[in-house]
């Protein structure tokens, strides 16, 4: 008889669980914080923020927003134990700092970009426009530097007195903690391990981040926006860079530090880290989809024959797509402006970066495991 | 009275042999104050007013450099008490907190390192948003990218030294990545294809990228010593050299950026 009753009403009847509005809210947040919902949501918020950057960066809009966010961010510490335990973990304190400082400075930069862009439209000078107006380094710059150093020292000492540096039990080579996490600034890369093998997430992608950053000034031939804040004159450059930095780097770090629990399972901010929760892995390769699901047969033995759909996709993505993109007006103009080598360096780096969200979407929609699966030679993409 | 003492100090032979200018109160002495000091002459004598506005620079590059100095000083003090040996490392860390006067040196070092990572990222974001990587500052941006990587490597190598659970397992996760390096790590794609005639593998578990990083097959004694040397000597030397280049190039490339 009991098994026929819905579990929630059973618990309610037992008087053990009283579902309040707060619990409903927590449940709602937990359900929406899984990457397949929250990452697209963060992308939408980011792009909306850049579309309406002149509106929300006004101090009268920004500060209430920031205040509201701060209140919500800290209000749940006394209201929820798991949330409090995440935020109070000493090694997670820098993440909170990173979140607030990044938001503040993003606003500070975009606010000045908004003012400059408006000024340019009505023919007024930029904030930075004062070619003739020079001041002596002593005292104007030197004293600012001194004050910054003093303030930084004070902050560091107060922080160090209030909060002990993290130290866990002595190293035990036989007992790995669950989860084992890399230092927080690499957790975006560790989060990518969910979607890619270590050679991609840990070697190729970080290598390309460094290479791409270093190549940036040689790729970006747009002469505008040099030495002043602007968004209007550099839309593509800023959106692409910010997508990489805010979403693929910072948001993934927050996921990795705050929301990845035992066995690297995903837990909402108000969920208890249950080490015994088992998330079934039912991921399939593109070759399985093609040969087994669609054709209803068996996988061929020959590596290249077996993996041709994935190889073809990869070839298309890396080699054909950059060429095809030039048919779109915007990229066509870029191709004409930048010349052959600059354009293709930019385009290949761009499509590789976009391969990350594409594979994520593949995982969320049809449990994509590998585009190319060649475990025989450790080559899985 | 006090003013008289101050004046007599400032007029003494010792003072005027160190500071070869008067009190910086007028234009000439202020220029001299910058030009005749080896540290301050990193700055030009005069700068554009909007270039040094805090809302323009965010002071993040300067703070990163200041944190680098704070890390160097606190790091040298920590080296007096820390032995990079598996038997002692953890107890030395405990001892730093328990037995030392002003036992917050490790806290300052640890939190300063986190702050430095964040400030270097924010510095990069500021330079990006103001387009300051554009000509003529392309090369200095590249130097900055290398410094960014060195900053994270400094923090990464320091992470192992407390020799606690957090340390060895974080580095274990990191070294799994080295093991997966294409053509150079045992678990990397293509490594097995590299063979000498007769099927002799070129890359072995004792010569792959992970072994190079750890000095062994797992995080142990050799890895601790390796990370210690990298953390205290090799990477700081490299970073200090590149910081010098970075600052010098700011001057040579026309100072703090501004509209052309």
């Amino acid at each position: 008889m009991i098994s026929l009753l819905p579990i929630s009403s059973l618990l309610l009847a037992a008087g053990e669980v009283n579902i309040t509005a707060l619990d409903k809210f927590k449940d709602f947040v937990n359900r929406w914080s899984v990457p397949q919902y929250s990452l697209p949501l963060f992308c939408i918020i980011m792009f909306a923020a850049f579309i309406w950057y002149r509106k929300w960066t006004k101090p009268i809009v920004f500060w209430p927003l920031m205040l509201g966010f701060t209140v919500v961010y800290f209000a749940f510490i006394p209201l929820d134990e798991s949330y409090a335990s995440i935020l109070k973990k000493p090694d997670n304190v820098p993440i909170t700092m990173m979140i607030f400082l990044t938001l503040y400075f993003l606003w500070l930069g975009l606010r000045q970009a908004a003012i400059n862009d408006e000024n340019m439209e009505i023919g007024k000078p930029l904030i930075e426009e004062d070619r003739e107006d020079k001041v002596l380094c002593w005292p104007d710059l030197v004293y600012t530097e001194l004050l910054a150093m003093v303030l930084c020292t004070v902050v560091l000492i107060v922080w160090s007195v209030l909060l002990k540096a993290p130290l866990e039990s002595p190293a035990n080579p036989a007992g790995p903690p669950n989860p084992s996490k890399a230092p927080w600034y690499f957790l975006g890369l560790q989060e990518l391990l969910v979607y890619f093998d270590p050679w991609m997430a840990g070697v190729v992608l970080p290598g390309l981040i460094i290479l791409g950053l270093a190549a940036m000034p040689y790729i970006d031939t747009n002469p505008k926006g040099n030495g002043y804040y602007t968004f209007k004159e550099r839309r593509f450059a800023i959106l692409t860079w910010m997508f990489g930095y805010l979403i693929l780097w910072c948001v993934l770090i927050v996921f990795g530090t705050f929301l990845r629990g035992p066995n690297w399972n995903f837990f909402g901010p108000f969920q208890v880290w249950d080490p015994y929760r088992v998330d079934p892995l039912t991921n399939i390769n593109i070759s399985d989809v093609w040969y087994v699901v669609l054709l209803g047969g068996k996988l061929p033995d020959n590596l290249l024959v077996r993996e041709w759909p994935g190889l073809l996709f990869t070839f298309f993505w890396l080699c054909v797509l950059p060429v095809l993109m030039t048919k779109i007006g915007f990229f066509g103009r870029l191709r004409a402006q930048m010349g052959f080598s600059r354009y293709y360096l930019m385009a290949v780096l761009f499509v590789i970066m976009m391969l990350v969200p594409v594979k994520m979407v593949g995982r969320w929609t049809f449990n994509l495991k590998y585009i190319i699966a060649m475990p025989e030679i450790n080559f899985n993409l | 009275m006090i003013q008289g003492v101050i004046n007599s100090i400032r007029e003494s032979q010792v003072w005027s042999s160190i500071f070869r200018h008067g009190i910086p109160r007028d234009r000439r002495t202020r220029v001299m104050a910058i030009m005749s000091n080896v540290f301050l002459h990193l700055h030009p004598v005069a700068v554009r007013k909007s270039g040094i506005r805090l809302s323009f620079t965010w002071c993040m590059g300067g703070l990163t450099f200041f944190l680098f100095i704070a890390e160097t000083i606190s790091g040298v003090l920590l080296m007096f008490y820390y032995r990079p040996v598996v038997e002692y490392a953890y107890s030395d860390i405990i001892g730093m907190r328990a037995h030392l006067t002003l036992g917050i040196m490790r806290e300052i070092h640890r939190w300063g390192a986190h702050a430095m990572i964040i400030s270097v990222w924010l510095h990069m974001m500021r330079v990006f948003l103001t387009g300051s990587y554009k000509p003529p500052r392309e090369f200095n941006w590249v130097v900055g990218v290398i410094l960014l990587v060195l900053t994270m490597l400094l923090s990464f190598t320091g992470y192992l030294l407390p020799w606690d659970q957090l340390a060895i397992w974080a580095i274990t996760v990191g070294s799994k990545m080295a093991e997966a390096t294409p053509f150079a790590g045992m678990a990397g794609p293509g490594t097995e294809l590299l063979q000498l005639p007769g099927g002799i593998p070129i890359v072995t578990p004792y010569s792959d990228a992970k072994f190079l990083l750890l000095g062994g097959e797992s995080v142990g004694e050799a890895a601790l010593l390796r990370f210690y040397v990298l953390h205290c000597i090799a990477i700081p030397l490299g970073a200090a050299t590149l910081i010098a280049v970075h600052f010098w190039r700011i001057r040579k490339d026309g100072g703090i950026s501004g509209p052309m």
Side-chain angles (χ1 to χ4, degrees):
Chain A
M1 247 338 256
I2 289 171
S3 63
L4 293 176
L5 288 167
I7 290 178
S8 59
S9 62
L10 177 75
L11 290 170
L12 271 179
E16 283 180 351
V17 173
N18 185 13
I19 297 173
T20 62
L22 186 67
D23 291 328
K24 275 187 189 154
F25 176 77
K26 285 182 188 174
D27 195 44
F28 178 80
V29 173
N30 283 339
R31 259 186 288 137
W32 275 84
S33 59
V34 290
Q36 50 265 51
Y37 299 138
S38 59
L39 257 190
L41 197 68
F42 280 123
C43 291
I44 292 169
I45 293 173
M46 190 199 99
F47 283 102
F50 277 97
I51 291 171
W52 289 294
Y53 72 111
R54 296 189 194 189
K55 301 235 161 46
W56 69 266
T57 52
K58 292 196 172 96
I60 194 149
V61 185
F62 170 74
W63 284 112
L65 278 178
M66 191 72 175
L67 189 71
F69 174 72
T70 312
V71 169
V72 172
Y73 189 91
F74 290 106
F76 279 94
I77 291 180
L79 291 178
D80 191 274
E81 266 177 52
S82 359
Y83 186 75
S85 70
I86 293 173
L87 284 203
K88 284 183 175 168
K89 197 170 161 251
D91 231 24
N92 281 351
V93 173
I95 317 296
T96 300
M97 267 178 68
M98 179 192 79
I99 293 174
F100 281 90
L101 288 174
T102 306
L103 287 176
Y104 171 76
F105 282 109
L106 186 68
W107 166 74
L108 190 61
L110 283 182
R111 171 76 191 139
Q112 296 175 80
I115 295 175
N116 273 343
D117 289 346
E118 263 165 39
N119 283 357
M120 276 188 280
E121 279 164 20
I122 54 175
K124 274 170 56 179
L126 301 166
I127 309 172
E128 293 88 351
E129 198 86 51
D130 53 359
R131 263 166 261 223
E132 310 305 318
D133 212 358
K134 286 206 163 190
V135 289
L136 289 177
C137 270
W138 188 296
D140 289 82
L141 178 57
V142 179
Y143 274 61
T144 315
E145 286 171 347
L146 180 72
L147 280 178
M149 287 194 276
V150 171
L151 266 179
C152 181
T153 311
V154 170
V155 168
L156 210 53
I157 289 176
V158 171
W159 187 5
S160 303
V161 170
L162 291 181
L163 212 64
K164 291 256 172 279
L167 188 66
E168 294 185 357
S169 48
N172 173 10
N178 185 10
S180 291
K181 291 187 178 183
W184 64 268
Y185 36 86
F186 289 144
L187 277 195
L189 299 173
Q190 200 177 353
E191 177 66 16
L192 287 183
L193 281 177
V194 174
Y195 307 95
F196 292 97
D197 271 16
W199 70 274
M200 261 309 262
V203 185
V204 173
L205 288 175
L208 287 177
I209 293 173
I210 297 168
L211 185 86
L213 280 175
M216 231 171 67
Y218 305 99
I219 294 173
D220 183 359
T221 52
N222 178 2
K224 289 179 182 165
N226 186 345
Y228 55 93
Y229 289 98
T230 175
F231 174 60
K232 202 185 160 192
E233 293 183 331
R234 303 170 53 208
R235 283 201 190 104
F236 176 68
I238 291 185
L239 279 178
T240 311
W241 199 88
M242 282 296 170
F243 175 72
Y245 180 61
L246 295 177
I247 306 286
L248 294 183
W249 191 258
C250 292
V251 170
L252 290 192
I253 285 176
V254 174
F255 281 5
T257 47
F258 285 1
L259 306 177
R260 286 290 177 182
N263 311 320
W264 208 253
N265 283 335
F266 196 93
F267 291 87
F270 308 117
Q271 245 169 327
V272 182
W273 283 14
D274 173 10
Y276 302 107
R277 194 181 98 191
V278 179
D279 290 3
L281 286 176
T282 51
N283 298 331
I284 49 172
N285 301 324
I286 285 197
S287 45
D288 293 323
V289 174
W290 178 256
Y291 283 107
V292 182
V293 180
L294 290 178
L295 298 183
K298 275 198 316 192
L299 286 178
D301 290 330
N302 186 302
L303 261 190
L304 295 177
V305 175
R306 187 184 77 200
E307 296 303 327
W308 77 262
L311 288 168
L312 186 74
F313 173 83
T314 310
F315 176 78
F316 168 82
W317 192 261
L318 296 183
C319 305
V320 182
L321 191 60
V323 185
L324 275 186
M325 284 185 341
T326 59
K327 305 292 173 213
I328 306 170
F330 173 73
F331 285 97
R333 283 196 299 280
L334 273 187
R335 166 74 182 81
Q337 273 171 26
M338 295 167 75
F340 180 84
S341 48
R342 282 199 175 91
Y343 172 78
Y344 281 105
L345 180 59
M346 183 280 290
V348 168
L349 287 169
F350 182 77
V351 294
I352 292 177
M353 178 167 108
M354 286 305 163
L355 190 62
V356 175
V358 163
K359 183 141 190 219
M360 287 176 169
V361 171
R363 173 68 54 86
W364 302 331
T365 47
F366 67 100
N367 294 327
L368 169 65
K369 189 176 184 193
Y370 292 125
I371 298 167
I372 302 171
M374 296 183 176
E376 294 87 343
I377 54 164
N378 291 326
F379 183 74
N380 300 316
L381 179 70
Chain B
M1 229 290 269
I2 296 169
Q3 199 58 43
V5 174
I6 292 175
N7 281 346
S8 67
I9 291 174
R10 279 190 161 149
E11 281 154 19
S12 69
Q13 192 187 353
V14 176
W15 182 275
S16 55
S17 71
I18 302 172
F19 302 103
R20 296 187 169 281
H21 53 78
I23 304 162
R25 281 203 187 119
D26 54 17
R27 189 177 164 85
R28 199 188 74 87
T29 44
R30 282 174 174 172
V31 169
M32 287 294 288
I34 295 288
M35 289 214 315
S36 64
N37 182 304
V38 67
F39 304 108
L40 293 183
H41 98 286
L42 269 174
H43 302 107
V45 166
V47 281
R48 282 176 42 260
K49 200 174 171 185
S50 68
I52 57 165
R53 266 172 38 241
L54 261 186
S55 55
F56 183 75
T57 64
W58 309 351
C59 203
M60 279 302 158
L63 281 180
T64 308
F65 178 55
F66 176 68
L67 285 166
F68 181 75
I69 294 172
E71 291 297 286
T72 309
I73 295 171
S74 57
V76 167
L77 291 176
L78 293 178
M79 282 173 79
F80 292 156
Y81 302 102
Y82 173 83
R83 289 165 286 182
V85 188
V86 170
E87 287 84 352
Y88 298 125
Y90 185 78
S91 54
D92 284 351
I93 298 277
I94 298 270
M96 279 170 197
R97 190 178 282 166
H99 306 311
L100 292 186
T101 323
L102 293 177
I104 59 163
M105 212 40 80
R106 186 173 99 84
E107 272 69 20
I108 289 186
H109 196 72
R110 178 83 173 211
W111 297 134
H114 289 318
M116 189 172 158
I117 297 253
I118 296 175
S119 67
V120 82
W121 290 358
L122 291 174
H123 174 59
M124 175 179 68
M125 187 162 115
R126 191 290 284 182
V127 172
F128 172 75
L129 277 177
T130 54
S132 305
Y133 59 89
K134 298 190 174 196
R137 296 183 180 79
E138 308 101 305
F139 180 68
N140 215 13
W141 167 269
V142 177
V143 175
V145 171
I146 302 171
L147 280 170
L148 168 85
V149 175
L150 287 185
T151 309
M152 291 201 268
L153 286 182
L154 267 175
S155 188
F156 182 69
T157 48
Y159 219 82
L160 183 64
L161 304 186
W163 205 248
D164 62 344
Q165 281 288 73
L166 201 61
I168 67 158
W169 293 104
I171 306 306
T172 304
V173 170
S175 63
K176 283 220 177 84
M177 308 280 190
E179 197 180 18
T181 312
F183 300 109
M186 278 317 284
T191 305
E192 282 172 38
L193 303 176
L194 297 178
Q195 286 182 345
L196 293 173
I200 303 160
I202 295 175
V203 179
T204 66
Y206 311 104
S207 69
D208 75 338
K210 183 180 167 190
F211 198 92
L212 177 75
L213 182 71
L214 299 181
E217 285 179 273
S218 63
V219 181
E221 186 104 28
L224 182 59
L225 187 59
R226 242 164 232 227
F227 275 50
Y228 178 75
V229 174
L230 288 173
H231 184 73
C232 302
I233 297 178
I235 306 177
L237 275 181
T241 311
L242 284 177
I243 288 171
V245 177
H246 201 56
F247 288 175
W248 181 75
R249 280 303 292 247
I250 297 176
R251 285 292 298 277
K252 294 292 151 185
D253 295 341
I256 297 174
S257 63
M260 293 290 194

